[in-house]
Amino acid sequence: MTLKGGLGPSLLPESLRDQNETVLARIIRDGVLGTPMPPWAFEISEPEALWLVRNLKDGLDDQ
Ligand code: HEM
């Protein structure tokens, strides 16, 4: 809820700034094997994952 991480890494704009959006979208859809990050491809399409990444990189309005 704070995007600051805990079990997973921080998803705040400064943490994602230098990361490639295609790679981040792939992480969301495929998950990261051997970590708690689950794959979301069963319900998040590639355009939706890219939308999520771009919004996370831009930051949310209330932050
Ligand atoms: C739709 C919901 C989710 C989104 C959009 C999302 C997004 C992401 C992204 C973008 C990363 C890569 C961050 C980076 O490399 O800097 C990541 C990593 C990670 N996420 Fe998620 N995540 C979601 C749900 C979850 C859930 C439910 C869990 C665990 C219960 C989780 C655990 C993790 C962990 C442990 C990593 C780090 C994996 C590693 O060691 O490389 N995520 N997540």
Side-chain angles (χ1 to χ4, degrees):
M1 291 181 70
T2 65
L3 301 177
K4 291 178 184 164
L7 184 58
S10 166
L11 298 179
L12 290 172
E14 54 266 36
S15 311
L16 300 180
R17 188 180 303 128
D18 298 330
Q19 299 202 56
N20 181 282
E21 63 180 29
T22 307
V23 172
L24 290 170
R26 190 168 306 147
I27 288 175
I28 291 173
R29 291 193 14 101
D30 294 348
V32 184
L33 203 64
T35 79
M37 177 61 185
W40 296 96
F42 70 97
E43 63 177 356
I44 296 181
S45 69
E46 194 170 335
E48 287 169 339
L50 280 170
W51 182 90
L52 272 172
V53 167
R54 287 174 187 143
N55 278 276
L56 286 168
K57 276 176 167 277
D58 284 349
L60 305 179
D61 288 337
D62 61 349
Q63 290 180 323

